[in-house]
Amino acid sequence: MIKKPQFTSGDVEVLGREILYKRFFRVERISLRHKLFRGGWSQEIGREIFLRGSAVAVVVYDPVHDLIGMIEQFRIGAMDESNGPWCYEVVAGMVEEGETPEAVARRELLEEANIVPYYMEFICDFLSSPGGSDEKLFLFCGLSDLSQAGGVHGLPDENEDIRLHCFAAEEVFAELLNGRFNNAAALICLQWLQMNRERLQKAHRTQ
């Protein structure tokens, strides 16, 4: 059995915080010390952290037609990628104050793909890069009829230009690990779907 970690947040002493940058996101420098495995406390440590908050990502699947919906959009962080800065992704968005992750998932499906799912299933949550960011992602699978889905979507006032593609599941899984889907949320969602595809087909094939 995998035990819980020995220490908790109560074993960290925050000595100070300094805001280095604050606009849509925030960067802080935190001075702290924490308990050590060998006993006692660490010396004072300085760490910068990118405060991004929580987000959701949702993979869209049609179990009747065995189709997967993937969106394509420009991403500044992928400018130097060999395939260019237009990425195939799952639908995603930030959690605003007072929103639940599932409510955000449903809102983003409508905004980015014009899809209203008939079933939603929670996959997992994870920290995207805990060494330097507090971002936590909540992953979902949304089921929908994709036989007529497609087109360009997104909010013009947010400069979103998002194309929805519907691919055969086998085609997606055949290229899963060759760099075509080069972000963690998409890879985790698609690997989960690969493992749960048959179960979803059996449970929802008559939708």
Side-chain angles (χ1 to χ4, degrees):
M1 177 182 294
I2 299 178
K3 297 180 180 180
K4 291 183 178 180
Q6 177 181 346
F7 300 129
T8 68
S9 57
D11 297 306
V12 179
E13 182 183 359
V14 175
L15 304 173
R17 288 178 177 266
E18 177 188 2
I19 297 176
L20 303 179
Y21 175 86
K22 184 178 180 181
R23 289 190 69 182
F24 186 73
F25 299 119
R26 191 166 85 251
V27 178
E28 291 186 359
R29 179 175 177 81
I30 302 177
S31 300
L32 58 87
R33 65 178 193 146
H34 60 76
K35 287 186 178 179
L36 300 171
F37 293 123
R38 62 177 177 268
W41 289 80
S42 71
Q43 297 182 2
E44 181 175 334
I45 301 169
R47 293 285 187 269
E48 286 79 34
I49 182 169
F50 176 39
L51 297 167
R52 183 178 170 89
S54 296
V56 304
V58 50
V59 60
V60 187
Y61 179 56
D62 181 341
V64 177
H65 302 98
D66 201 25
L67 297 172
I68 298 174
M70 302 292 296
I71 60 171
E72 180 186 6
Q73 61 181 319
F74 171 80
R75 289 303 201 190
I76 186 66
M79 284 287 288
D80 294 330
E81 287 295 295
S82 59
N83 289 328
W86 274 263
C87 298
Y88 286 121
E89 302 177 336
V90 292
V91 169
M94 302 296 297
V95 178
E96 304 293 341
E97 186 175 353
E99 289 186 301
T100 66
E102 182 171 336
V104 177
R106 292 181 179 275
R107 168 170 57 78
E108 293 295 334
L109 280 173
L110 188 59
E111 290 179 4
E112 295 189 354
N114 195 33
I115 285 174
V116 177
Y118 58 76
Y119 175 78
M120 291 278 286
E121 184 168 328
F122 177 68
I123 296 175
C124 70
D125 59 68
F126 72 97
L127 297 171
S128 63
S129 185
S133 175
D134 72 335
E135 183 181 43
K136 186 174 186 177
L137 277 92
F138 296 83
L139 306 185
F140 294 86
C141 177
L143 303 189
S144 179
D145 181 357
L146 297 179
S147 59
Q148 303 299 318
V152 177
H153 309 285
L155 300 179
D157 59 328
E158 295 185 7
N159 293 311
E160 292 182 332
D161 180 51
I162 302 170
R163 185 184 298 277
L164 173 64
H165 300 269
C166 296
F167 300 117
E170 287 295 342
E171 181 180 354
V172 172
F173 297 143
E175 299 199 40
L176 189 57
L177 300 178
N178 71 357
R180 183 70 66 190
F181 309 107
N182 56 353
N183 62 91
L187 286 172
I188 295 171
C189 283
L190 291 171
Q191 287 179 316
W192 179 91
L193 180 56
Q194 191 174 33
M195 292 186 294
N196 289 272
R197 173 188 178 198
E198 185 175 346
R199 174 179 62 84
L200 293 172
Q201 287 177 331
K202 289 180 179 178
H204 299 278
R205 62 166 58 107
T206 59
Q207 292 293 333

